[in-house]
Amino acid sequence: MVNYLKYGFFLLLISCVTKEDHITEVFKLPKNLKEISGITYDAKTNLIWTLEDSGNENKIYALDKNGQIERTVTINQTDNVDWEDITLDSKGDLYIGDFGNNDNTRTDLCIYKLSASGLTSAALTPAYKVSFYYPEQTDFPPKKKALFYDCEAFFEFKNNFYLFTKNRSKGFDGTTFLYKIPNTPGTHKATLMGSFITCNDYTTCAITSAAISQDEKKIVLLGHSKVWLFENFVGDDFLKGTATELELHHYSQKEAVCFKDAATLLIADEKTKKIGGKLYQSNIATLKSKP
């Protein structure tokens, strides 16, 4: 994951003031979780599950309503190559997306399924592993203008995974590709379903997380200061739904988003120096009604 503050974007943080009617702080994340890369909310237990990305342990963490770590679960027989997102299905099973691919060189992209029944244990072994590849990628790495195959964003819907890629190409134009992968063990060819263009500013419009609402009527994509909301789609034709760009009026290294309910988003950012390391809440209706 890129640390944007090291590359001269600190002034953006100073100049962008949080508007409390757009995004509000819920709690500070635990100090030992400095590189949060995904979150998902379990309404049945009122826990927020989270993880960290490459260089960190093969563990997931359950946070309570105050941001305290209530449970730590070691995931046996796995390596945290680059865990970039976590999601929940309608049955309560969790999935870890080990598909971070900054340099577009990986040939071991995968998703781990964690059965709901094992989440109270201190350690568990994945129920199964879903390996996949992008058929459009033929070079490892591709040329700098074709670095399309990093990913930090996915969700599960009706026994399939939907991944939104993070574009790292030279001459960034905001294109994210949507891929579909079956939620079954084995190795699968990812199916390209389409693309969406955010904006041509990498620092604000590269996609870092995605989520689907519990009622399956909305999806969101996350950037560092914006979210893109999709509604009124049919089946899994998400990109043909109504797309709305929503300003958070708050810039930080946001890496994770999920729905608390159909009206409310939870968003987490990494802590960089003294900025971030928090969980925020945002109301979709408020975002849509205010510029």
Side-chain angles (χ1 to χ4, degrees):
M1 224 173 261
V2 176
N3 185 336
Y4 298 106
L5 299 184
K6 293 182 179 179
Y7 293 92
F9 299 111
F10 183 67
L11 290 177
L12 286 174
L13 290 166
I14 296 175
S15 63
C16 197
V17 178
T18 302
K19 297 184 178 181
E20 291 191 357
D21 55 354
H22 287 80
I23 184 170
T24 58
E25 180 182 332
V26 180
F27 54 66
K28 293 181 180 179
L29 295 166
K31 291 183 179 180
N32 59 315
L33 300 182
K34 296 180 179 179
E35 295 186 310
I36 292 289
S37 58
I39 57 172
T40 193
Y41 176 70
D42 187 347
K44 295 178 181 179
T45 61
N46 200 30
L47 293 174
I48 297 170
W49 287 96
T50 188
L51 43 64
E52 296 184 284
D53 59 11
S54 61
N56 291 287
E57 294 185 277
N58 57 330
K59 296 180 179 182
I60 60 173
Y61 308 88
L63 307 181
D64 65 20
K65 63 181 181 179
N66 298 313
Q68 301 301 308
I69 298 176
E70 182 170 307
R71 197 177 306 158
T72 299
V73 183
T74 299
I75 311 305
N76 295 330
Q77 300 178 22
T78 68
D79 292 316
N80 185 345
V81 180
D82 198 356
W83 293 3
E84 285 292 356
D85 209 355
I86 187 169
T87 195
L88 190 74
D89 68 15
S90 59
K91 299 176 183 178
D93 298 323
L94 285 177
Y95 301 89
I96 295 170
D98 189 355
F99 41 50
N101 193 18
N102 290 11
D103 298 324
N104 284 219
T105 55
R106 288 185 63 181
T107 57
D108 59 350
L109 305 172
C110 65
I111 296 164
Y112 297 107
K113 177 180 179 177
L114 310 177
S115 297
S117 59
L119 295 175
T120 56
S121 304
L124 65 85
T125 300
Y128 57 75
K129 177 180 178 181
V130 180
S131 298
F132 68 93
Y133 63 96
Y134 304 109
E136 289 75 23
Q137 182 177 8
T138 56
D139 297 316
F140 298 82
K143 294 181 179 179
K144 291 183 179 180
K145 64 181 180 180
L147 296 174
F148 301 126
Y149 304 104
D150 187 16
C151 183
E152 299 183 3
F154 86 135
F155 54 79
E156 203 271 357
F157 172 68
K158 297 188 183 304
N159 210 38
N160 288 285
F161 299 112
Y162 295 87
L163 282 65
F164 291 84
T165 60
K166 185 174 185 179
N167 189 336
R168 292 186 178 274
S169 301
K170 181 179 181 181
F172 177 83
D173 67 355
T175 299
T176 178
F177 292 107
L178 170 59
Y179 281 94
K180 180 178 181 178
I181 300 165
N183 181 3
T184 55
T187 300
H188 304 283
K189 177 174 70 174
T191 300
L192 179 61
M193 296 187 66
S195 63
F196 178 74
I197 296 177
T198 53
C199 79
N200 61 5
D201 179 9
Y202 179 82
T203 65
T204 58
C205 288
I207 300 303
T208 60
S209 189
I212 188 167
S213 60
Q214 289 86 344
D215 63 7
E216 301 179 338
K217 293 181 179 180
K218 302 181 182 73
I219 70 166
V220 289
L221 307 180
L222 178 69
H224 290 313
S225 63
K226 305 172 187 283
V227 294
W228 290 266
L229 171 69
F230 294 81
E231 303 172 283
N232 306 314
F233 45 80
V234 177
D236 65 358
D237 210 352
F238 307 116
L239 298 180
K240 289 188 178 178
T242 304
T244 308
E245 181 180 293
L246 304 173
E247 292 282 351
L248 295 173
H249 295 282
H250 179 275
Y251 184 95
S252 64
Q253 195 170 330
K254 297 178 182 67
E255 298 289 350
V257 66
C258 68
F259 282 86
K260 183 178 181 182
D261 53 50
T264 311
L265 297 177
L266 298 176
I267 298 170
D269 56 8
E270 286 192 15
K271 186 169 185 179
T272 310
K273 297 187 184 299
K274 296 183 179 180
I275 303 297
K278 299 176 181 179
L279 182 85
Y280 309 90
Q281 182 170 293
S282 189
N283 181 272
I284 292 174
T286 299
L287 292 177
K288 292 175 72 173
S289 65
K290 294 181 180 293

